[in-house]
Amino acid sequence: DTEVTQTPKHLVMGMTNKKSLKCEQHMGHRAMYWYKQKAKKPPELMFVYSYEKLSINESVPSRFSPECPNSSLLNLHLHALQPEDSALYLCASSQGVVGTARDTQYFGPGTRLTVL
Amino acid sequence: QKEVEQNSGPLSVPEGAIASLNCTYSDRGSQSFFWYRQYSGKSPELIMFIYSNGDKEDGRFTAQLNKASQYVSLLIRDSQPSDSATYLCAAIRGSYIPTFGRGTSLIVHP
C-alpha cells in the first residue's frame, strides 16, 4: 500500500481566515513533505519533516505553519494568506533514510486551495 | 545550482507509437532518478525509478540511464490516449530531497 491521503480536496478561504490542511500516511515512512504547485510548474518544496522534526524550511512565509503531531500525520496551518497563495498543495512521504538516494516519494492527491 | 532539464513540449505521438521523453541533469553527484506522471489538476504518480546505468523495463515503460552523458529517458511503447499527461523527471543526490524538472507534456492522438 503506497497511499498518502489529504483533506480537504478543495478549500476556498478569505485572506483573514485560518484553516488547516491535513495529510496522513500509514506506510511507516519517516519523512514527510509539503509542496506547493502552480499550474504548468513543477512541485516546489516548502517543508520537510524527518522523524517528526522539521528538517527543511525553504524560506516559506510565516503565514504557512507546518506541524507534525506524530509519524503518520502532517498538518499545514494557514493564516492571512494572499490570493497568490492559491495553488495545489501536495503532501508526500518517503522512507527518509538519510544518506541514501534510493528514497522514493509518494504523493497524496493534493488540496486545491483558492484564496479570495 | 542543481538543475534537471526537460523539453516542455508538447510531444505529440499517434496512438500505438513509441513516445520518448528525455531529461538531462547537471549534478554529476545525482544517484537516483524518478519519472512521475501527472494528469491535469491531479497529483504526481510514480511511474518508474532507476539507479543503475542501462535500461529498466516495467510493462510498456522503459527507463534508460546514462550517467556518463547525464541523461535519463522514459520510453512508452504502444502509447495510448490515456498516457496523455505531463511527465516529470526528478533526480536525487545524497539527501532524500528530489530536484524536479519542469515536465514534458505528452499528447497521444487517436
Side-chain angles (χ1 to χ4, degrees), chain A residues 33 35 37 41-42 45 48 50 90 98-105 107-109, chain B residues 31-32 34 36 38 41 43-44 46 51 92-98 100-102:
Chain A
Y33 311 74
Y35 287 89
Q37 189 178 27
K41 301 282 189 184
L45 185 65
V48 181
S50 174
L90 296 162
V98 177
T100 177
R102 303 189 177 197
D103 201 36
T104 305
Q105 288 198 359
F107 285 87
Chain B
Q31 296 172 271
S32 301
F34 303 84
Y36 288 88
Q38 187 171 26
S43 67
L46 181 70
Y51 312 135
I92 291 183
R93 185 185 167 93
S95 71
Y96 42 89
I97 309 302
F100 283 93
R102 296 176 68 85

PDB file of all heavy atoms in Angstrom, chain A residues 33 35 37 41-42 45 48 50 90 98-105 107-109, chain B residues 31-32 34 36 38 41 43-44 46 51 92-98 100-102:
ATOM      1  N   TYR A  33       6.593  15.595   3.516  1.00  0.00           N
ATOM      2  CA  TYR A  33       6.914  16.804   2.763  1.00  0.00           C
ATOM      3  C   TYR A  33       5.641  17.593   2.447  1.00  0.00           C
ATOM      4  O   TYR A  33       4.583  16.998   2.192  1.00  0.00           O
ATOM      5  CB  TYR A  33       7.549  16.446   1.411  1.00  0.00           C
ATOM      6  CG  TYR A  33       8.688  15.451   1.465  1.00  0.00           C
ATOM      7  CD1 TYR A  33       8.454  14.101   1.684  1.00  0.00           C
ATOM      8  CD2 TYR A  33      10.000  15.870   1.254  1.00  0.00           C
ATOM      9  CE1 TYR A  33       9.493  13.184   1.722  1.00  0.00           C
ATOM     10  CE2 TYR A  33      11.039  14.958   1.280  1.00  0.00           C
ATOM     11  CZ  TYR A  33      10.791  13.617   1.518  1.00  0.00           C
ATOM     12  OH  TYR A  33      11.820  12.717   1.544  1.00  0.00           O
ATOM     13  N   TYR A  35       4.583  20.373  -0.515  1.00  0.00           N
ATOM     14  CA  TYR A  35       4.931  21.048  -1.753  1.00  0.00           C
ATOM     15  C   TYR A  35       3.785  21.980  -2.142  1.00  0.00           C
ATOM     16  O   TYR A  35       2.621  21.711  -1.863  1.00  0.00           O
ATOM     17  CB  TYR A  35       5.105  20.053  -2.910  1.00  0.00           C
ATOM     18  CG  TYR A  35       6.347  19.207  -2.883  1.00  0.00           C
ATOM     19  CD1 TYR A  35       6.354  17.989  -2.220  1.00  0.00           C
ATOM     20  CD2 TYR A  35       7.494  19.603  -3.562  1.00  0.00           C
ATOM     21  CE1 TYR A  35       7.484  17.182  -2.224  1.00  0.00           C
ATOM     22  CE2 TYR A  35       8.634  18.801  -3.579  1.00  0.00           C
ATOM     23  CZ  TYR A  35       8.613  17.598  -2.904  1.00  0.00           C
ATOM     24  OH  TYR A  35       9.733  16.804  -2.916  1.00  0.00           O
ATOM     25  N   GLN A  37       2.268  23.687  -5.755  1.00  0.00           N
ATOM     26  CA  GLN A  37       2.398  23.574  -7.197  1.00  0.00           C
ATOM     27  C   GLN A  37       1.427  24.512  -7.894  1.00  0.00           C
ATOM     28  O   GLN A  37       0.211  24.415  -7.707  1.00  0.00           O
ATOM     29  CB  GLN A  37       2.181  22.137  -7.671  1.00  0.00           C
ATOM     30  CG  GLN A  37       2.517  21.952  -9.154  1.00  0.00           C
ATOM     31  CD  GLN A  37       2.370  20.537  -9.642  1.00  0.00           C
ATOM     32  OE1 GLN A  37       1.587  19.762  -9.094  1.00  0.00           O
ATOM     33  NE2 GLN A  37       3.124  20.170 -10.672  1.00  0.00           N
ATOM     34  N   LYS A  41       3.781  24.252 -13.636  1.00  0.00           N
ATOM     35  CA  LYS A  41       5.088  24.345 -12.972  1.00  0.00           C
ATOM     36  C   LYS A  41       5.343  23.042 -12.220  1.00  0.00           C
ATOM     37  O   LYS A  41       4.394  22.349 -11.850  1.00  0.00           O
ATOM     38  CB  LYS A  41       5.112  25.499 -11.967  1.00  0.00           C
ATOM     39  CG  LYS A  41       4.829  26.855 -12.568  1.00  0.00           C
ATOM     40  CD  LYS A  41       6.039  27.386 -13.271  1.00  0.00           C
ATOM     41  CE  LYS A  41       5.805  28.839 -13.678  1.00  0.00           C
ATOM     42  NZ  LYS A  41       6.932  29.373 -14.451  1.00  0.00           N
ATOM     43  N   PRO A  42       6.610  22.716 -11.941  1.00  0.00           N
ATOM     44  CA  PRO A  42       6.864  21.527 -11.130  1.00  0.00           C
ATOM     45  C   PRO A  42       6.532  21.798  -9.662  1.00  0.00           C
ATOM     46  O   PRO A  42       6.393  22.954  -9.267  1.00  0.00           O
ATOM     47  CB  PRO A  42       8.373  21.307 -11.309  1.00  0.00           C
ATOM     48  CG  PRO A  42       8.914  22.667 -11.602  1.00  0.00           C
ATOM     49  CD  PRO A  42       7.843  23.382 -12.380  1.00  0.00           C
ATOM     50  N   LEU A  45       9.185  22.645  -3.292  1.00  0.00           N
ATOM     51  CA  LEU A  45       9.309  22.177  -1.917  1.00  0.00           C
ATOM     52  C   LEU A  45       9.105  23.317  -0.933  1.00  0.00           C
ATOM     53  O   LEU A  45       9.666  24.406  -1.094  1.00  0.00           O
ATOM     54  CB  LEU A  45      10.677  21.538  -1.713  1.00  0.00           C
ATOM     55  CG  LEU A  45      10.931  20.888  -0.366  1.00  0.00           C
ATOM     56  CD1 LEU A  45      10.020  19.678  -0.155  1.00  0.00           C
ATOM     57  CD2 LEU A  45      12.398  20.496  -0.229  1.00  0.00           C
ATOM     58  N   VAL A  48      10.130  19.980   4.983  1.00  0.00           N
ATOM     59  CA  VAL A  48      10.406  18.561   5.130  1.00  0.00           C
ATOM     60  C   VAL A  48      10.461  18.250   6.621  1.00  0.00           C
ATOM     61  O   VAL A  48      11.135  18.941   7.381  1.00  0.00           O
ATOM     62  CB  VAL A  48      11.746  18.143   4.495  1.00  0.00           C
ATOM     63  CG1 VAL A  48      11.954  16.632   4.657  1.00  0.00           C
ATOM     64  CG2 VAL A  48      11.789  18.526   3.023  1.00  0.00           C
ATOM     65  N   SER A  50      11.542  15.134   9.131  1.00  0.00           N
ATOM     66  CA  SER A  50      12.243  13.863   9.215  1.00  0.00           C
ATOM     67  C   SER A  50      12.167  13.385  10.647  1.00  0.00           C
ATOM     68  O   SER A  50      12.586  14.103  11.557  1.00  0.00           O
ATOM     69  CB  SER A  50      13.705  14.031   8.788  1.00  0.00           C
ATOM     70  OG  SER A  50      14.433  12.834   8.984  1.00  0.00           O
ATOM     71  N   LEU A  90       0.530  19.827  -2.160  1.00  0.00           N
ATOM     72  CA  LEU A  90       0.789  18.398  -2.196  1.00  0.00           C
ATOM     73  C   LEU A  90       1.558  17.956  -0.967  1.00  0.00           C
ATOM     74  O   LEU A  90       2.519  18.605  -0.551  1.00  0.00           O
ATOM     75  CB  LEU A  90       1.619  18.038  -3.436  1.00  0.00           C
ATOM     76  CG  LEU A  90       0.967  18.284  -4.788  1.00  0.00           C
ATOM     77  CD1 LEU A  90       2.010  18.301  -5.894  1.00  0.00           C
ATOM     78  CD2 LEU A  90      -0.080  17.222  -5.066  1.00  0.00           C
ATOM     79  N   VAL A  98      18.364   8.965   5.642  1.00  0.00           N
ATOM     80  CA  VAL A  98      19.403   9.940   5.313  1.00  0.00           C
ATOM     81  C   VAL A  98      20.628   9.228   4.779  1.00  0.00           C
ATOM     82  O   VAL A  98      21.028   8.189   5.283  1.00  0.00           O
ATOM     83  CB  VAL A  98      19.769  10.773   6.550  1.00  0.00           C
ATOM     84  CG1 VAL A  98      20.911  11.742   6.227  1.00  0.00           C
ATOM     85  CG2 VAL A  98      18.559  11.541   7.019  1.00  0.00           C
ATOM     86  N   GLY A  99      21.211   9.814   3.759  1.00  0.00           N
ATOM     87  CA  GLY A  99      22.435   9.254   3.221  1.00  0.00           C
ATOM     88  C   GLY A  99      22.205   8.299   2.080  1.00  0.00           C
ATOM     89  O   GLY A  99      23.128   7.790   1.482  1.00  0.00           O
ATOM     90  N   THR A 100      20.950   8.052   1.775  1.00  0.00           N
ATOM     91  CA  THR A 100      20.688   7.210   0.614  1.00  0.00           C
ATOM     92  C   THR A 100      19.900   8.006  -0.406  1.00  0.00           C
ATOM     93  O   THR A 100      19.050   8.826  -0.054  1.00  0.00           O
ATOM     94  CB  THR A 100      19.907   5.942   0.994  1.00  0.00           C
ATOM     95  OG1 THR A 100      19.612   5.201  -0.199  1.00  0.00           O
ATOM     96  CG2 THR A 100      18.577   6.280   1.654  1.00  0.00           C
ATOM     97  N   ALA A 101      20.185   7.803  -1.654  1.00  0.00           N
ATOM     98  CA  ALA A 101      19.439   8.480  -2.708  1.00  0.00           C
ATOM     99  C   ALA A 101      18.288   7.609  -3.189  1.00  0.00           C
ATOM    100  O   ALA A 101      17.523   8.020  -4.035  1.00  0.00           O
ATOM    101  CB  ALA A 101      20.360   8.792  -3.875  1.00  0.00           C
ATOM    102  N   ARG A 102      18.166   6.428  -2.621  1.00  0.00           N
ATOM    103  CA  ARG A 102      17.143   5.498  -3.117  1.00  0.00           C
ATOM    104  C   ARG A 102      15.863   5.665  -2.303  1.00  0.00           C
ATOM    105  O   ARG A 102      15.377   4.715  -1.700  1.00  0.00           O
ATOM    106  CB  ARG A 102      17.657   4.066  -3.049  1.00  0.00           C
ATOM    107  CG  ARG A 102      18.934   3.898  -3.827  1.00  0.00           C
ATOM    108  CD  ARG A 102      19.341   2.468  -3.946  1.00  0.00           C
ATOM    109  NE  ARG A 102      20.549   2.359  -4.775  1.00  0.00           N
ATOM    110  CZ  ARG A 102      20.970   1.244  -5.321  1.00  0.00           C
ATOM    111  NH1 ARG A 102      20.304   0.127  -5.129  1.00  0.00           N
ATOM    112  NH2 ARG A 102      22.062   1.222  -6.055  1.00  0.00           N
ATOM    113  N   ASP A 103      15.368   6.894  -2.290  1.00  0.00           N
ATOM    114  CA  ASP A 103      14.245   7.184  -1.414  1.00  0.00           C
ATOM    115  C   ASP A 103      13.094   7.723  -2.243  1.00  0.00           C
ATOM    116  O   ASP A 103      13.059   8.893  -2.589  1.00  0.00           O
ATOM    117  CB  ASP A 103      14.666   8.191  -0.351  1.00  0.00           C
ATOM    118  CG  ASP A 103      13.757   8.144   0.839  1.00  0.00           C
ATOM    119  OD1 ASP A 103      13.310   7.035   1.193  1.00  0.00           O
ATOM    120  OD2 ASP A 103      13.478   9.195   1.406  1.00  0.00           O
ATOM    121  N   THR A 104      12.150   6.851  -2.540  1.00  0.00           N
ATOM    122  CA  THR A 104      11.061   7.205  -3.444  1.00  0.00           C
ATOM    123  C   THR A 104       9.990   7.973  -2.705  1.00  0.00           C
ATOM    124  O   THR A 104       9.545   7.566  -1.635  1.00  0.00           O
ATOM    125  CB  THR A 104      10.458   5.923  -4.031  1.00  0.00           C
ATOM    126  OG1 THR A 104      11.507   5.161  -4.650  1.00  0.00           O
ATOM    127  CG2 THR A 104       9.393   6.254  -5.062  1.00  0.00           C
ATOM    128  N   GLN A 105       9.571   9.085  -3.297  1.00  0.00           N
ATOM    129  CA  GLN A 105       8.477   9.873  -2.720  1.00  0.00           C
ATOM    130  C   GLN A 105       7.146   9.455  -3.327  1.00  0.00           C
ATOM    131  O   GLN A 105       7.036   9.291  -4.537  1.00  0.00           O
ATOM    132  CB  GLN A 105       8.700  11.361  -2.995  1.00  0.00           C
ATOM    133  CG  GLN A 105       9.823  11.965  -2.197  1.00  0.00           C
ATOM    134  CD  GLN A 105       9.757  13.472  -2.156  1.00  0.00           C
ATOM    135  OE1 GLN A 105       8.883  14.094  -2.731  1.00  0.00           O
ATOM    136  NE2 GLN A 105      10.709  14.071  -1.465  1.00  0.00           N
ATOM    137  N   PHE A 107       3.177  10.723  -3.498  1.00  0.00           N
ATOM    138  CA  PHE A 107       2.384  11.927  -3.305  1.00  0.00           C
ATOM    139  C   PHE A 107       0.934  11.604  -2.943  1.00  0.00           C
ATOM    140  O   PHE A 107       0.366  10.617  -3.406  1.00  0.00           O
ATOM    141  CB  PHE A 107       2.375  12.770  -4.592  1.00  0.00           C
ATOM    142  CG  PHE A 107       3.654  13.508  -4.831  1.00  0.00           C
ATOM    143  CD1 PHE A 107       4.707  12.907  -5.499  1.00  0.00           C
ATOM    144  CD2 PHE A 107       3.816  14.817  -4.391  1.00  0.00           C
ATOM    145  CE1 PHE A 107       5.891  13.578  -5.725  1.00  0.00           C
ATOM    146  CE2 PHE A 107       4.996  15.502  -4.604  1.00  0.00           C
ATOM    147  CZ  PHE A 107       6.034  14.880  -5.277  1.00  0.00           C
ATOM    148  N   GLY A 108       0.350  12.457  -2.125  1.00  0.00           N
ATOM    149  CA  GLY A 108      -1.080  12.416  -1.897  1.00  0.00           C
ATOM    150  C   GLY A 108      -1.806  13.083  -3.051  1.00  0.00           C
ATOM    151  O   GLY A 108      -1.181  13.639  -3.948  1.00  0.00           O
ATOM    152  N   PRO A 109      -3.150  13.066  -3.030  1.00  0.00           N
ATOM    153  CA  PRO A 109      -3.942  13.623  -4.139  1.00  0.00           C
ATOM    154  C   PRO A 109      -3.934  15.144  -4.193  1.00  0.00           C
ATOM    155  O   PRO A 109      -4.314  15.722  -5.212  1.00  0.00           O
ATOM    156  CB  PRO A 109      -5.349  13.095  -3.870  1.00  0.00           C
ATOM    157  CG  PRO A 109      -5.378  12.840  -2.409  1.00  0.00           C
ATOM    158  CD  PRO A 109      -4.004  12.417  -2.024  1.00  0.00           C
TER     159      PRO A 109
ATOM    160  N   GLN B  31      22.243  10.426  -8.046  1.00  0.00           N
ATOM    161  CA  GLN B  31      22.381   8.972  -7.987  1.00  0.00           C
ATOM    162  C   GLN B  31      21.112   8.230  -8.377  1.00  0.00           C
ATOM    163  O   GLN B  31      21.172   7.104  -8.831  1.00  0.00           O
ATOM    164  CB  GLN B  31      22.766   8.569  -6.564  1.00  0.00           C
ATOM    165  CG  GLN B  31      24.113   9.106  -6.125  1.00  0.00           C
ATOM    166  CD  GLN B  31      24.357   8.843  -4.656  1.00  0.00           C
ATOM    167  OE1 GLN B  31      24.000   9.645  -3.806  1.00  0.00           O
ATOM    168  NE2 GLN B  31      24.929   7.699  -4.348  1.00  0.00           N
ATOM    169  N   SER B  32      19.970   8.852  -8.157  1.00  0.00           N
ATOM    170  CA  SER B  32      18.703   8.156  -8.411  1.00  0.00           C
ATOM    171  C   SER B  32      17.790   9.073  -9.204  1.00  0.00           C
ATOM    172  O   SER B  32      17.804  10.291  -9.021  1.00  0.00           O
ATOM    173  CB  SER B  32      18.018   7.788  -7.099  1.00  0.00           C
ATOM    174  OG  SER B  32      18.847   6.972  -6.333  1.00  0.00           O
ATOM    175  N   PHE B  34      13.767   9.515 -11.063  1.00  0.00           N
ATOM    176  CA  PHE B  34      12.375   9.109 -10.956  1.00  0.00           C
ATOM    177  C   PHE B  34      11.583   9.750 -12.090  1.00  0.00           C
ATOM    178  O   PHE B  34      11.833  10.886 -12.473  1.00  0.00           O
ATOM    179  CB  PHE B  34      11.801   9.567  -9.607  1.00  0.00           C
ATOM    180  CG  PHE B  34      12.570   9.053  -8.423  1.00  0.00           C
ATOM    181  CD1 PHE B  34      13.699   9.713  -7.966  1.00  0.00           C
ATOM    182  CD2 PHE B  34      12.176   7.897  -7.772  1.00  0.00           C
ATOM    183  CE1 PHE B  34      14.420   9.237  -6.886  1.00  0.00           C
ATOM    184  CE2 PHE B  34      12.892   7.411  -6.686  1.00  0.00           C
ATOM    185  CZ  PHE B  34      14.003   8.081  -6.251  1.00  0.00           C
ATOM    186  N   TYR B  36       7.622  10.682 -12.900  1.00  0.00           N
ATOM    187  CA  TYR B  36       6.258  10.793 -12.405  1.00  0.00           C
ATOM    188  C   TYR B  36       5.355  11.209 -13.566  1.00  0.00           C
ATOM    189  O   TYR B  36       5.745  12.005 -14.423  1.00  0.00           O
ATOM    190  CB  TYR B  36       6.161  11.864 -11.308  1.00  0.00           C
ATOM    191  CG  TYR B  36       6.797  11.491  -9.995  1.00  0.00           C
ATOM    192  CD1 TYR B  36       8.150  11.741  -9.756  1.00  0.00           C
ATOM    193  CD2 TYR B  36       6.048  10.908  -8.974  1.00  0.00           C
ATOM    194  CE1 TYR B  36       8.729  11.409  -8.544  1.00  0.00           C
ATOM    195  CE2 TYR B  36       6.628  10.582  -7.749  1.00  0.00           C
ATOM    196  CZ  TYR B  36       7.962  10.833  -7.554  1.00  0.00           C
ATOM    197  OH  TYR B  36       8.530  10.502  -6.345  1.00  0.00           O
ATOM    198  N   GLN B  38       1.728  13.104 -14.345  1.00  0.00           N
ATOM    199  CA  GLN B  38       0.777  13.994 -13.693  1.00  0.00           C
ATOM    200  C   GLN B  38      -0.289  14.413 -14.689  1.00  0.00           C
ATOM    201  O   GLN B  38      -0.005  15.098 -15.677  1.00  0.00           O
ATOM    202  CB  GLN B  38       1.478  15.230 -13.105  1.00  0.00           C
ATOM    203  CG  GLN B  38       0.546  16.093 -12.275  1.00  0.00           C
ATOM    204  CD  GLN B  38       1.264  17.189 -11.508  1.00  0.00           C
ATOM    205  OE1 GLN B  38       2.326  17.643 -11.888  1.00  0.00           O
ATOM    206  NE2 GLN B  38       0.655  17.626 -10.403  1.00  0.00           N
ATOM    207  N   GLY B  41      -4.484  18.837 -13.067  1.00  0.00           N
ATOM    208  CA  GLY B  41      -5.245  19.023 -11.834  1.00  0.00           C
ATOM    209  C   GLY B  41      -5.072  17.918 -10.806  1.00  0.00           C
ATOM    210  O   GLY B  41      -5.667  17.985  -9.728  1.00  0.00           O
ATOM    211  N   SER B  43      -2.344  14.925  -8.734  1.00  0.00           N
ATOM    212  CA  SER B  43      -1.003  14.895  -8.133  1.00  0.00           C
ATOM    213  C   SER B  43      -0.080  13.981  -8.933  1.00  0.00           C
ATOM    214  O   SER B  43      -0.537  13.136  -9.705  1.00  0.00           O
ATOM    215  CB  SER B  43      -1.103  14.416  -6.680  1.00  0.00           C
ATOM    216  OG  SER B  43      -1.523  13.055  -6.638  1.00  0.00           O
ATOM    217  N   PRO B  44       1.227  14.129  -8.761  1.00  0.00           N
ATOM    218  CA  PRO B  44       2.182  13.264  -9.475  1.00  0.00           C
ATOM    219  C   PRO B  44       2.059  11.814  -9.017  1.00  0.00           C
ATOM    220  O   PRO B  44       1.931  11.533  -7.827  1.00  0.00           O
ATOM    221  CB  PRO B  44       3.542  13.848  -9.100  1.00  0.00           C
ATOM    222  CG  PRO B  44       3.262  15.255  -8.680  1.00  0.00           C
ATOM    223  CD  PRO B  44       1.918  15.209  -8.031  1.00  0.00           C
ATOM    224  N   LEU B  46       4.009   8.082  -9.304  1.00  0.00           N
ATOM    225  CA  LEU B  46       5.287   7.462  -9.653  1.00  0.00           C
ATOM    226  C   LEU B  46       5.100   6.431 -10.764  1.00  0.00           C
ATOM    227  O   LEU B  46       4.252   5.545 -10.658  1.00  0.00           O
ATOM    228  CB  LEU B  46       5.894   6.795  -8.421  1.00  0.00           C
ATOM    229  CG  LEU B  46       7.248   6.124  -8.643  1.00  0.00           C
ATOM    230  CD1 LEU B  46       8.322   7.178  -8.882  1.00  0.00           C
ATOM    231  CD2 LEU B  46       7.616   5.253  -7.446  1.00  0.00           C
ATOM    232  N   TYR B  51      18.334   3.508 -10.800  1.00  0.00           N
ATOM    233  CA  TYR B  51      19.546   3.886 -10.087  1.00  0.00           C
ATOM    234  C   TYR B  51      20.800   3.550 -10.874  1.00  0.00           C
ATOM    235  O   TYR B  51      21.837   4.196 -10.707  1.00  0.00           O
ATOM    236  CB  TYR B  51      19.659   3.146  -8.742  1.00  0.00           C
ATOM    237  CG  TYR B  51      18.436   3.156  -7.891  1.00  0.00           C
ATOM    238  CD1 TYR B  51      17.997   1.992  -7.264  1.00  0.00           C
ATOM    239  CD2 TYR B  51      17.709   4.325  -7.677  1.00  0.00           C
ATOM    240  CE1 TYR B  51      16.871   2.005  -6.454  1.00  0.00           C
ATOM    241  CE2 TYR B  51      16.591   4.331  -6.862  1.00  0.00           C
ATOM    242  CZ  TYR B  51      16.180   3.164  -6.261  1.00  0.00           C
ATOM    243  OH  TYR B  51      15.067   3.157  -5.458  1.00  0.00           O
ATOM    244  N   ILE B  92      17.802  12.697  -7.429  1.00  0.00           N
ATOM    245  CA  ILE B  92      18.201  12.812  -6.023  1.00  0.00           C
ATOM    246  C   ILE B  92      19.699  12.588  -5.939  1.00  0.00           C
ATOM    247  O   ILE B  92      20.232  11.659  -6.555  1.00  0.00           O
ATOM    248  CB  ILE B  92      17.454  11.799  -5.135  1.00  0.00           C
ATOM    249  CG1 ILE B  92      15.979  12.160  -5.049  1.00  0.00           C
ATOM    250  CG2 ILE B  92      18.053  11.745  -3.738  1.00  0.00           C
ATOM    251  CD1 ILE B  92      15.185  11.250  -4.140  1.00  0.00           C
ATOM    252  N   ARG B  93      20.374  13.431  -5.130  1.00  0.00           N
ATOM    253  CA  ARG B  93      21.801  13.265  -4.917  1.00  0.00           C
ATOM    254  C   ARG B  93      22.026  12.346  -3.723  1.00  0.00           C
ATOM    255  O   ARG B  93      21.961  11.145  -3.826  1.00  0.00           O
ATOM    256  CB  ARG B  93      22.440  14.645  -4.731  1.00  0.00           C
ATOM    257  CG  ARG B  93      23.934  14.612  -4.618  1.00  0.00           C
ATOM    258  CD  ARG B  93      24.489  15.982  -4.308  1.00  0.00           C
ATOM    259  NE  ARG B  93      25.878  15.903  -3.907  1.00  0.00           N
ATOM    260  CZ  ARG B  93      26.904  16.034  -4.733  1.00  0.00           C
ATOM    261  NH1 ARG B  93      26.690  16.260  -6.015  1.00  0.00           N
ATOM    262  NH2 ARG B  93      28.128  15.950  -4.297  1.00  0.00           N
ATOM    263  N   GLY B  94      22.268  12.913  -2.567  1.00  0.00           N
ATOM    264  CA  GLY B  94      22.579  12.056  -1.421  1.00  0.00           C
ATOM    265  C   GLY B  94      21.556  12.193  -0.332  1.00  0.00           C
ATOM    266  O   GLY B  94      21.333  11.288   0.437  1.00  0.00           O
ATOM    267  N   SER B  95      20.939  13.368  -0.267  1.00  0.00           N
ATOM    268  CA  SER B  95      19.837  13.542   0.673  1.00  0.00           C
ATOM    269  C   SER B  95      18.614  12.904   0.030  1.00  0.00           C
ATOM    270  O   SER B  95      18.692  12.312  -1.022  1.00  0.00           O
ATOM    271  CB  SER B  95      19.570  15.030   0.912  1.00  0.00           C
ATOM    272  OG  SER B  95      18.995  15.599  -0.256  1.00  0.00           O
ATOM    273  N   TYR B  96      17.499  13.013   0.656  1.00  0.00           N
ATOM    274  CA  TYR B  96      16.302  12.431   0.076  1.00  0.00           C
ATOM    275  C   TYR B  96      15.404  13.500  -0.515  1.00  0.00           C
ATOM    276  O   TYR B  96      14.205  13.322  -0.648  1.00  0.00           O
ATOM    277  CB  TYR B  96      15.561  11.617   1.145  1.00  0.00           C
ATOM    278  CG  TYR B  96      15.503  12.280   2.495  1.00  0.00           C
ATOM    279  CD1 TYR B  96      14.482  13.133   2.825  1.00  0.00           C
ATOM    280  CD2 TYR B  96      16.506  12.058   3.436  1.00  0.00           C
ATOM    281  CE1 TYR B  96      14.445  13.747   4.054  1.00  0.00           C
ATOM    282  CE2 TYR B  96      16.472  12.674   4.675  1.00  0.00           C
ATOM    283  CZ  TYR B  96      15.434  13.508   4.980  1.00  0.00           C
ATOM    284  OH  TYR B  96      15.396  14.117   6.197  1.00  0.00           O
ATOM    285  N   ILE B  97      15.989  14.628  -0.908  1.00  0.00           N
ATOM    286  CA  ILE B  97      15.218  15.720  -1.479  1.00  0.00           C
ATOM    287  C   ILE B  97      15.408  15.724  -2.992  1.00  0.00           C
ATOM    288  O   ILE B  97      16.513  15.907  -3.491  1.00  0.00           O
ATOM    289  CB  ILE B  97      15.686  17.078  -0.922  1.00  0.00           C
ATOM    290  CG1 ILE B  97      15.728  17.030   0.603  1.00  0.00           C
ATOM    291  CG2 ILE B  97      14.793  18.193  -1.435  1.00  0.00           C
ATOM    292  CD1 ILE B  97      14.415  16.691   1.250  1.00  0.00           C
ATOM    293  N   PRO B  98      14.324  15.520  -3.749  1.00  0.00           N
ATOM    294  CA  PRO B  98      14.474  15.474  -5.209  1.00  0.00           C
ATOM    295  C   PRO B  98      14.509  16.864  -5.820  1.00  0.00           C
ATOM    296  O   PRO B  98      13.943  17.807  -5.283  1.00  0.00           O
ATOM    297  CB  PRO B  98      13.233  14.702  -5.657  1.00  0.00           C
ATOM    298  CG  PRO B  98      12.205  15.036  -4.625  1.00  0.00           C
ATOM    299  CD  PRO B  98      12.958  15.222  -3.335  1.00  0.00           C
ATOM    300  N   PHE B 100      13.202  18.525  -9.253  1.00  0.00           N
ATOM    301  CA  PHE B 100      12.277  18.216 -10.340  1.00  0.00           C
ATOM    302  C   PHE B 100      12.600  19.025 -11.577  1.00  0.00           C
ATOM    303  O   PHE B 100      12.983  20.197 -11.491  1.00  0.00           O
ATOM    304  CB  PHE B 100      10.832  18.542  -9.920  1.00  0.00           C
ATOM    305  CG  PHE B 100      10.218  17.529  -9.003  1.00  0.00           C
ATOM    306  CD1 PHE B 100      10.288  17.683  -7.636  1.00  0.00           C
ATOM    307  CD2 PHE B 100       9.563  16.424  -9.515  1.00  0.00           C
ATOM    308  CE1 PHE B 100       9.726  16.753  -6.775  1.00  0.00           C
ATOM    309  CE2 PHE B 100       8.987  15.484  -8.671  1.00  0.00           C
ATOM    310  CZ  PHE B 100       9.068  15.653  -7.302  1.00  0.00           C
ATOM    311  N   GLY B 101      12.409  18.409 -12.748  1.00  0.00           N
ATOM    312  CA  GLY B 101      12.380  19.148 -13.987  1.00  0.00           C
ATOM    313  C   GLY B 101      11.015  19.813 -14.150  1.00  0.00           C
ATOM    314  O   GLY B 101      10.096  19.580 -13.359  1.00  0.00           O
ATOM    315  N   ARG B 102      10.894  20.636 -15.205  1.00  0.00           N
ATOM    316  CA  ARG B 102       9.651  21.380 -15.397  1.00  0.00           C
ATOM    317  C   ARG B 102       8.553  20.517 -16.013  1.00  0.00           C
ATOM    318  O   ARG B 102       7.401  20.920 -16.061  1.00  0.00           O
ATOM    319  CB  ARG B 102       9.912  22.587 -16.282  1.00  0.00           C
ATOM    320  CG  ARG B 102      10.856  23.593 -15.646  1.00  0.00           C
ATOM    321  CD  ARG B 102      11.161  24.737 -16.594  1.00  0.00           C
ATOM    322  NE  ARG B 102       9.977  25.559 -16.835  1.00  0.00           N
ATOM    323  CZ  ARG B 102       9.596  26.560 -16.054  1.00  0.00           C
ATOM    324  NH1 ARG B 102      10.290  26.840 -14.973  1.00  0.00           N
ATOM    325  NH2 ARG B 102       8.521  27.264 -16.339  1.00  0.00           N
TER     326      ARG B 102
END
